[in-house]
Amino acid sequence: MLVVSEESEEESNGVNLMEFSDEILLHILSYVPCTDLVLNVRRTCRKLATLCLDKSLTHTVLLQKDYKVDKDKVKQLMRDIGKEIYQLNMAGCYWLPSSTIDHVTRCKNLVKLNLSGCHVTSLRLSKMLSSLQHLRSLAIDVNPGFDASQLSSECKATLSRVSELKQTLYTPSYGVVPCCTSLEKLLLYFEILDRSREGFMLSGQLMVGESNVPHYQNLRIFYARLAPGYVNQEVVRLYLAVLSDRTPENLHAFLISAPGSFAETGATKNLLDSMARNVRLDALQLPKAWINGSGLLQHLKFNNPFYFSFSRCTLSGGHLIQRVINGGKDLKSLTSLNLSGCVHCLAPESLFRKAEDDIDSSILESLVVSCCNLRHLNLSAAHHHSSESIGNHLCQLLSRLKHLLSLALPVCSITDVAASVEKPPTTPNLVPQTFGRKVRIGVQTYPKNLGDQANQKMESSVFWALMGSLRFLETLEIIGSSFSSAMPRNEPAIRNSLPPCVRAQSVGDSEVAAISQLTYLQSLTLAQLPNVLTGSGLISIGLQCQHLRTLSLANLGMMGKMVYMSALMDMLKHCRCLRDLRLEQPYFCAGAQFFQALSHCSSLQRLCIVSRSGTLQSDAVMSFMANCLEVIMCHMFMGESLTVCKNLQQSINWYKLPLHVWQFLNAFCLAPCRVLRLTWWETFVCEP
């Protein structure tokens, strides 16, 4: 009787989820994928059946990265709530057959549609858009074989009302741009290869008459991102030629991201001259060749700028102060500034400056004072050495930017001035050789008590203080000024234009440990930190940064000696929210212990390992894939034989993996090279 009374008392004191108010339940349900709400949760009880169909939950449907959704679920979802959907995002749903797109026609009230990464033919697109009369925003891919002449009049009528278009081009084409007569925002992504699959050279020539010059007059935002290749440059020049003929008066954001050299032509020069006369910009990004050696910035007019990018330009600090922020002009509206690769941006003059020269702290101070509301700042790929003046260190000045959410710095910029450059860290070669017993040289083990690690770091460290002042930072990149990834994205593979920095030799475990103060950190990139020995700071990050989702580590410590492996495995055991992991390290051994530690990352979805002369254990990979069922992309560039790669590929294909993994693996095969290419490759290092 006593036991029964205790159980009844416990039940009476328990909390029933259904007793919460509708507002609280709707907030809880907003974190559940829409497919689960409609197809599963709403079938549990009458109250949830009503709440799951609330407009606040069905207004926007996100299928992007929802890898458990198949074509049948999409069909049922569109049948149940199709008329209630106003925004639908199917970007990157590569596993869904193209016929799934036909069910989108049920969404009669659709206003915003994203089909990037989905293969859509001209006829299927025409049929779908013909029934979406309220559509105002569209994102699609233009693949080889696309024919705009197959679009029906009803489809063109829908496109004429679209004000926002994102178009990814895989073939030279204007796509649906000529039909979009009311465009206000145009986002173009050029991914055209120079050669076809058959090996034929492609041409970037298009018919200028198809461009519809008058249709750009409402344009407010123009953005173009180019992948490497001359065809991409030729096609984007045709788009720009239209703008140069008649520049939109309402244009306030003009952004072009181009890797490598992108020469300026007469048409582009006319466009920039016309922009300088007729428009006032809020956002600007241009190829470096268009800015270097010209007085363009002196003539352009800005209204309330929020984004500037001068990546890899020879812009000096004097020009930055005088022409961009106008001698200390109030730029509180500026939220993003990209000075990546601008080696002279913190020096008064660009001529005769050496890499080891100190920065002019007054230039950085003027920048910090004028742009006090910056949220995103990129100073990477350059040498920024602080002088010995007290209070003028780069880290001390940046600590005033309390609103920063993302920050990218070169390794040499975070060193303390007190750390003498003339005294490099002790190496085994400096140990005197004697005829006595040989001295065994190694690295110290990381402290078991992580509290002792913080005590080992001097409280006067400027980087430690910087990390303590930027508590709300979400993205951090610390990259060596001469670092070049073995497999970069949208960048030339060889670009070691800057020599290695002597000051960076002192950056190691203690600086990495300082990053653990960033409680809300979500993305971390560390590349070319030569003094990382034990990797003890990584453990602190794993324990303290519980929101970390993206981690990229490259060339840490001494080349060829991955001595921080033990600490990395301990770190991974605490990264419960980690989704993306990228490791680039020569001679990396991906063995059983590594994959066992990686199995603790229950949320991991994407894995990439790049290792020259690296090795892996097939059994360990199979065990890891069995434990981490959320992994849908795995890409390894190792030094294993082609036979090992093929056998592992076959084993994974035949293994009882989830459906989404099975479908994706079957869509790919191994390339004939000495790498394991399972599914995926992505570079986490910042794009220019």
Side-chain angles (χ1 to χ4, degrees):
M1 294 297 295
L2 180 62
V3 175
V4 174
S5 61
E6 289 180 351
E7 291 179 352
S8 60
E9 182 179 359
E10 182 179 358
E11 291 178 357
S12 62
N13 295 332
V15 178
N16 187 354
L17 184 65
M18 293 298 102
E19 296 178 356
F20 290 160
S21 64
D22 291 350
E23 290 77 10
I24 295 178
L25 289 176
L26 286 174
H27 181 73
I28 296 175
L29 294 175
S30 65
Y31 292 93
V32 181
C34 188
T35 51
D36 286 339
L37 289 178
V38 177
L39 303 181
N40 298 320
V41 179
R42 77 182 180 102
R43 304 182 187 278
T44 56
C45 65
R46 293 181 179 178
K47 185 173 184 178
L48 289 179
T50 303
L51 292 177
C52 288
L53 296 181
D54 188 83
K55 291 184 178 180
S56 62
L57 300 178
T58 59
H59 181 276
T60 302
V61 175
L62 303 178
L63 300 182
Q64 183 184 21
K65 297 183 180 181
D66 193 353
Y67 301 103
K68 297 181 180 180
V69 175
D70 55 23
K71 60 179 181 180
D72 295 330
K73 291 183 178 180
V74 174
K75 180 180 179 180
Q76 186 63 35
L77 183 69
M78 301 303 173
R79 181 181 302 173
D80 292 348
I81 63 169
K83 296 181 180 180
E84 307 296 330
I85 301 176
Y86 286 83
Q87 297 184 18
L88 177 61
N89 188 345
M90 298 180 63
C93 293
Y94 52 82
W95 63 90
L96 295 177
S98 56
S99 58
T100 310
I101 307 299
D102 297 338
H103 302 297
V104 179
T105 56
R106 295 179 178 270
C107 306
K108 302 295 184 180
N109 298 318
L110 203 61
V111 176
K112 188 173 183 178
L113 175 62
N114 192 337
L115 296 176
S116 298
C118 301
H119 185 73
V120 182
T121 62
S122 307
L123 292 176
R124 179 160 275 126
L125 180 66
S126 177
K127 178 182 178 182
M128 177 186 62
L129 294 183
S130 298
S131 59
L132 304 180
Q133 300 180 2
H134 301 282
L135 194 67
R136 295 297 179 269
S137 177
L138 177 64
I140 60 171
D141 293 349
V142 178
N143 295 287
F146 182 87
D147 187 1
S149 63
Q150 297 180 344
L151 302 179
S152 64
S153 57
E154 294 82 2
C155 173
K156 293 180 179 179
T158 299
L159 289 172
S160 66
R161 294 184 289 268
V162 170
S163 60
E164 178 180 335
L165 175 64
K166 176 185 176 183
Q167 195 169 250
T168 304
L169 298 170
Y170 293 97
T171 185
S173 172
Y174 284 116
V176 298
V177 171
C179 303
C180 301
T181 58
S182 304
L183 275 183
E184 297 181 3
K185 184 177 181 180
L186 178 58
L187 309 177
L188 300 172
Y189 295 80
F190 295 87
E191 300 286 346
I192 311 171
L193 299 177
D194 290 342
R195 293 178 179 271
S196 64
R197 292 185 177 182
E198 294 77 15
F200 299 107
M201 297 290 294
L202 294 179
S203 173
Q205 296 299 320
L206 297 175
M207 294 182 64
V208 180
E210 298 177 356
S211 58
N212 276 346
V213 177
H215 297 167
Y216 290 105
Q217 292 315 299
N218 297 323
L219 201 62
R220 295 173 54 84
I221 299 176
F222 179 85
Y223 174 79
R225 192 192 71 182
L226 284 68
Y230 76 96
V231 176
N232 291 315
Q233 297 183 7
E234 291 297 322
V235 176
V236 76
R237 282 194 178 100
L238 295 176
Y239 280 85
L240 295 176
V242 177
L243 294 176
S244 63
D245 184 60
R246 188 177 176 185
T247 306
E249 297 180 357
N250 295 325
L251 189 68
H252 71 91
F254 188 76
L255 312 168
I256 298 180
S257 175
S261 60
F262 186 19
E264 186 181 15
T265 61
T268 56
K269 188 178 185 303
N270 293 335
L271 170 61
L272 297 178
D273 292 340
S274 177
M275 289 171 53
R277 293 191 305 267
N278 303 321
V279 301
R280 300 181 68 91
L281 296 174
D282 294 336
L284 177 66
Q285 178 176 355
L286 297 175
K288 60 180 181 181
W290 297 15
I291 297 181
N292 293 343
S294 67
L296 174 64
L297 295 179
Q298 188 175 0
H299 302 290
L300 286 177
K301 294 181 287 292
F302 302 102
N303 189 17
N304 292 310
F306 61 88
Y307 176 83
F308 282 147
S309 178
F310 305 107
S311 177
R312 306 193 185 280
C313 295
T314 58
L315 186 68
S316 67
H319 291 167
L320 180 66
I321 297 299
Q322 297 173 8
R323 299 180 181 178
V324 179
I325 66 176
N326 196 16
K329 179 183 177 182
D330 183 12
L331 281 183
K332 293 182 179 180
S333 61
L334 193 66
T335 60
S336 181
L337 178 61
N338 184 359
L339 296 173
S340 174
C342 297
V343 296
H344 311 294
C345 65
L346 298 182
E349 299 295 337
S350 60
L351 299 177
F352 308 110
R353 183 182 185 271
K354 299 180 181 179
E356 60 271 13
D357 292 343
D358 295 335
I359 64 173
D360 188 340
S361 58
S362 62
I363 295 176
L364 180 59
E365 186 173 9
S366 300
L367 189 64
V368 169
V369 173
S370 302
C371 311
C372 56
N373 291 323
L374 276 179
R375 295 191 177 187
H376 311 281
L377 178 62
N378 191 340
L379 293 173
S380 61
H383 291 283
H384 295 316
H385 299 166
S386 300
S387 62
E388 298 181 0
S389 302
I390 300 177
N392 291 329
H393 194 281
L394 181 139
C395 293
Q396 293 173 328
L397 295 175
L398 293 182
S399 62
R400 302 181 188 178
L401 299 174
K402 302 299 182 180
H403 302 285
L404 278 181
L405 297 179
S406 66
L407 178 63
L409 295 174
V411 176
C412 58
S413 68
I414 66 175
T415 58
D416 285 303
V417 180
S420 178
V421 179
E422 289 78 13
K423 297 179 180 180
T426 305
T427 59
N429 295 331
L430 300 180
V431 178
Q433 297 181 359
T434 62
F435 292 99
R437 184 177 179 180
K438 293 184 178 180
V439 180
R440 183 175 181 179
I441 304 299
V443 294
Q444 59 183 359
T445 58
Y446 54 86
K448 297 299 182 181
N449 187 1
L450 295 176
D452 297 339
Q453 179 179 331
N455 297 330
Q456 295 175 4
K457 181 63 185 175
M458 294 186 302
E459 296 181 357
S460 60
S461 169
V462 290
F463 183 66
W464 193 280
L466 175 63
M467 294 293 97
S469 63
L470 304 178
R471 294 303 181 99
F472 298 100
L473 201 67
E474 297 177 356
T475 302
L476 177 64
E477 295 186 2
I478 306 295
I479 306 175
S481 55
S482 61
F483 172 74
S484 180
S485 174
M487 296 180 178
R489 177 180 174 83
N490 286 346
E491 274 294 302
I494 301 176
R495 49 183 174 89
N496 275 332
S497 57
L498 299 176
C501 184
V502 178
R503 290 201 184 190
Q505 298 298 322
S506 61
V507 178
D509 296 318
S510 57
E511 285 76 15
V512 175
I515 301 175
S516 62
Q517 300 177 86
L518 304 176
T519 308
Y520 299 98
L521 188 66
Q522 297 184 15
S523 177
L524 175 62
T525 298
L526 300 176
Q528 203 178 46
L529 276 64
N531 202 33
V532 171
L533 300 178
T534 64
S536 55
L538 295 175
I539 306 176
S540 301
I541 295 175
L543 287 172
Q544 303 297 327
C545 306
Q546 289 296 308
H547 298 281
L548 190 64
R549 295 188 175 187
T550 299
L551 177 63
S552 177
L553 305 177
N555 295 359
L556 302 186
M558 297 177 291
M559 294 296 294
K561 297 182 180 180
M562 193 171 177
V563 293
Y564 63 94
M565 183 67 175
S566 179
L568 174 62
M569 290 188 295
D570 283 351
M571 174 194 183
L572 294 176
K573 295 177 182 179
H574 306 288
C575 298
R576 304 294 182 181
C577 297
L578 191 65
R579 294 184 179 181
D580 304 312
L581 176 62
R582 182 181 187 275
L583 297 175
E584 181 173 345
Q585 191 82 23
Y587 306 100
F588 176 75
C589 179
Q593 293 182 346
F594 168 75
F595 282 108
Q596 184 178 0
L598 194 59
S599 299
H600 289 83
C601 303
S602 55
S603 301
L604 192 68
Q605 294 181 352
R606 289 170 287 273
L607 172 66
C608 178
I609 300 178
V610 181
S611 179
R612 184 181 71 253
S613 303
T615 59
L616 62 88
Q617 294 182 9
S618 301
D619 295 340
V621 177
M622 293 299 301
S623 177
F624 160 72
M625 294 295 290
N627 293 330
C628 294
L629 299 180
E630 297 297 325
V631 175
I632 48 87
M633 298 179 183
C634 178
H635 214 166
M636 300 183 188
F637 291 84
M638 313 288 283
E640 295 291 348
S641 64
L642 184 61
T643 302
V644 173
C645 296
K646 286 185 175 181
N647 292 338
L648 181 57
Q649 178 79 51
Q650 185 177 6
S651 299
I652 294 180
N653 282 337
W654 285 102
Y655 193 75
K656 295 182 179 180
L657 292 174
L659 179 62
H660 57 278
V661 180
W662 176 280
Q663 291 176 341
F664 194 75
L665 288 176
N666 284 340
F668 284 80
C669 61
L670 283 174
C673 55
R674 292 172 57 84
V675 295
L676 173 62
R677 303 185 61 179
L678 294 184
T679 56
W680 172 78
W681 161 247
E682 179 66 32
T683 302
F684 294 123
V685 177
C686 258
E687 296 179 1

